[in-house]
Amino acid sequence: MRSIRAATLGLLLSAGLAGCVTQGGVQHGAPPSGAATQAAQALYTKGQFDQAAQAYLALADQDGSHRDYYKLLAAEAYRQEGALDRAAPVVADIRRSRLEGEDALRFDALRAEIALKNNDAKTALSLTGKPAARVSPQIDQRLAELRARAQAAAGDPWSAAQTRIELDRQLRGVDREQNRKEILALLTGLGAQPLAERGSSLPANDPMKPWVVEAQAQLGNVNRAPAVLDQAVGTVTGDKGVREGYKVPGKVALLLPLSGPLAGAGAAIRDGFFANYLEAAHTGAPRPDIAVYDSGNDAQHAVAAYDKAVAEGARFVVGPLNRDGVSAIFAKGALPAPMLTLNYPNDNRNLPPAGANEFGLLPETEGAQAADHMADRGLRTATLIVSTDDFARRAGNAFKAEWQARGGTLASQVTLDANSIDFASQLSEPVGQDPATSGVFISMKPQQARLLLPQLRLAKNTLPVFATSHVYAGGDDPTADRDLEGVEFCDAPWLFDAQSGLPRRASLTDALPATKGVSGRLFAFGMDAWGLVPYIDWMRGHPGSYLPGATGQLVADEFGRVRRVLIWARFADGVARPVAGSLELEAPATAPNVESGGG
């Protein structure tokens, strides 16, 4: 692996070398700043590294008292040129005893880099230990990056990942993104089982813990579960009644599809966003100006909307909704305005770029939380039944991964054609399965579930049934839903007015059609999109804090991904109501409020 941005005037080298060029840390006083020295410095600054190296070597021949210092600068210039082979003999001719301070450490870094090129990890490790005294951030970062490379080359990827995680906090921009890719490559390269064993021994607050979870998720072994929820975001403070950490930008842009096939979803999210935005006005809390832009239904329109919003003064962007649009904006690189996307990119393996936060209604979240819920109930064997719909397939895969990670076993796995009505040939009696330790997980729309449940009972399957939110049509229909008796499902608390501190759904249904039926989830999603804007930065810096949201308890991880903890509801006499105790964490009663669309 190459050094971070080794071929450019990147952070780790150019800033560090600038300290050399300004004559820091010379044993016998600073070198003379004559015309020859200035000319060599100018060549380096212009990126003419080969010529600069030749000029520094000439100075070394002319000034014996500063010979080793000038040779160090020559070797650094060759390194910047990408010519370590030419730097090596120059480095070999430098006397470390004639250097002091950080010049000596830069010399060690050069030797370590040459050793790595020669596959001598042992020597590189011996040269890149943590400095005993305080040093500049530039040399500290450079030594840490080389130490990580040496550890990896020595066959110790776990230590290399630890070193890079320590380094991560100090980096910015492209350097940080590259370092993060290296961390995940090191951890995923360990393999699923060794990674699980290492991760299980880490304390809950260990800085490596979230990285291990991310690597396990990329290997497909666990869902990216939210962190332990310690407390609701902040406390109610100040005469405005806002919580700690409340901070709003001057202008927010909301990017949604206002035309085309996704216009209906965009309208429901927009209405929820502004309903919660207006609710915040009741406390007198400061609010930003909001501008809405049509982001269309494809990547081109989404990028154009983002660029226009930034050009017109947006300091924070919410959206877009389509995955292609999120991917295209992320591909731009450094973001001129931070954002909260309303979906995830097509390739969700990469971490969000700097300044980006991801939020969505993912079916994977529901599948994984269903597995956790069943395991917490003491179930150990599951039958998995999903439809052929994309959301059901994704939820089923997440359930299976999390279920097996929790030590559960699958008795059978069934996929039902979404257009079929007779499932008898695919269902069988669960022989030898104890209802106390066995259950059924389903993911499908209400119409199909209403057909499935009676056929399950005819097949003498009386095991408890658990489902994703898709089983619920979003409103009371006792006649149609009587066949779903006893089914438990995870869903957004706002659909049941089970979350305090938010506008009540029951009071909005007459005025706002978007709150009715399944579109109510998108309305709740929009409410949370606004609710996160003032707190997202604070939440990322306070692991374990959560925002009591309309779609669930919202947690922002270290990487900017917002996760939801949903509540559980059960059908009884054809009506769905929250399970007692399923919403264990609620917002303070006096606190103001500060996936479908995200799948």
Side-chain angles (χ1 to χ4, degrees), residues 383-577:
T383 297
L384 174 61
I385 305 176
V386 298
S387 75
T388 51
D389 292 306
D390 178 67
F391 74 82
R393 175 187 57 80
R394 291 164 59 187
N397 288 340
F399 174 87
K400 183 177 179 180
E402 185 71 7
W403 183 249
Q404 292 176 336
R406 292 289 301 264
T409 59
L410 283 179
S412 62
Q413 183 172 341
V414 179
T415 300
L416 303 179
D417 189 329
N419 298 314
S420 178
I421 61 173
D422 184 1
F423 314 126
S425 62
Q426 295 176 266
L427 306 176
S428 59
E429 180 181 355
V431 178
Q433 294 186 47
D434 182 354
T437 59
S438 303
V440 178
F441 169 72
I442 67 173
S443 185
M444 59 194 62
K445 294 176 181 176
Q447 301 90 328
Q448 193 173 26
R450 293 170 189 145
L451 292 170
L452 170 65
L453 266 295
Q455 295 182 55
L456 270 179
R457 303 317 178 205
L458 285 173
K460 298 181 180 180
N461 188 330
T462 59
L463 300 176
V465 178
F466 304 85
T468 58
S469 65
H470 308 90
V471 77
Y472 177 50
D476 293 345
D477 190 347
T479 301
D481 289 336
R482 202 168 297 278
D483 286 332
L484 301 177
E485 189 73 12
V487 174
E488 285 190 25
F489 62 95
C490 52
D491 213 330
W494 184 76
L495 295 186
F496 308 96
D497 283 328
Q499 180 62 72
S500 60
L502 296 171
R504 290 181 59 80
R505 186 189 191 195
S507 64
L508 297 177
T509 51
D510 291 339
L512 296 172
T515 63
K516 300 177 181 178
V518 294
S519 67
R521 293 190 184 95
L522 292 172
F523 189 92
F525 184 48
M527 293 172 70
D528 284 346
W530 159 250
L532 285 164
V533 169
Y535 292 111
I536 186 66
D537 287 344
W538 193 89
M539 291 168 67
R540 288 185 65 167
H542 294 77
S545 64
Y546 67 92
L547 180 71
T551 63
Q553 312 292 24
L554 308 180
V555 183
D557 67 19
E558 291 83 347
F559 311 118
R561 294 193 179 107
V562 178
R563 302 297 174 189
R564 301 183 301 139
V565 178
L566 298 94
I567 66 165
W568 284 86
R570 181 188 297 117
F571 287 100
D573 296 325
V575 178
R577 290 293 179 264

Side-chain angles (χ1 to χ4, degrees), residues 248-253 309-317 336-339:
V248 292
K251 182 178 181 180
V252 172
V310 173
E312 294 180 355
R315 294 294 178 263
F316 192 90
V317 176
M339 63 191 305

Side-chain angles (χ1 to χ4, degrees), residues 36-92:
T37 301
Q38 293 175 5
Q41 291 174 346
L43 288 169
Y44 183 90
T45 302
K46 293 176 182 178
Q48 297 175 3
F49 301 120
D50 183 79
Q51 295 95 317
Q54 296 299 321
Y56 283 129
L57 288 174
L59 284 167
D61 290 338
Q62 297 166 16
D63 185 351
S65 62
H66 300 103
R67 167 187 176 278
D68 300 280
Y69 176 74
Y70 281 129
K71 280 186 173 289
L72 174 63
L73 295 186
E76 290 276 23
Y78 278 135
R79 175 192 182 273
Q80 279 290 80
E81 183 74 11
L84 272 180
D85 55 335
R86 299 182 69 184
V90 178
V91 169

Side-chain angles (χ1 to χ4, degrees), residues 191-193 195-196 213 215-224 397-398 400-406:
Q193 187 60 35
L195 185 61
V213 172
Q216 288 177 306
Q218 292 199 5
L219 289 171
N221 290 64
V222 300
N223 187 62
R224 298 180 182 93
N397 288 340
K400 183 177 179 180
E402 185 71 7
W403 183 249
Q404 292 176 336
R406 292 289 301 264

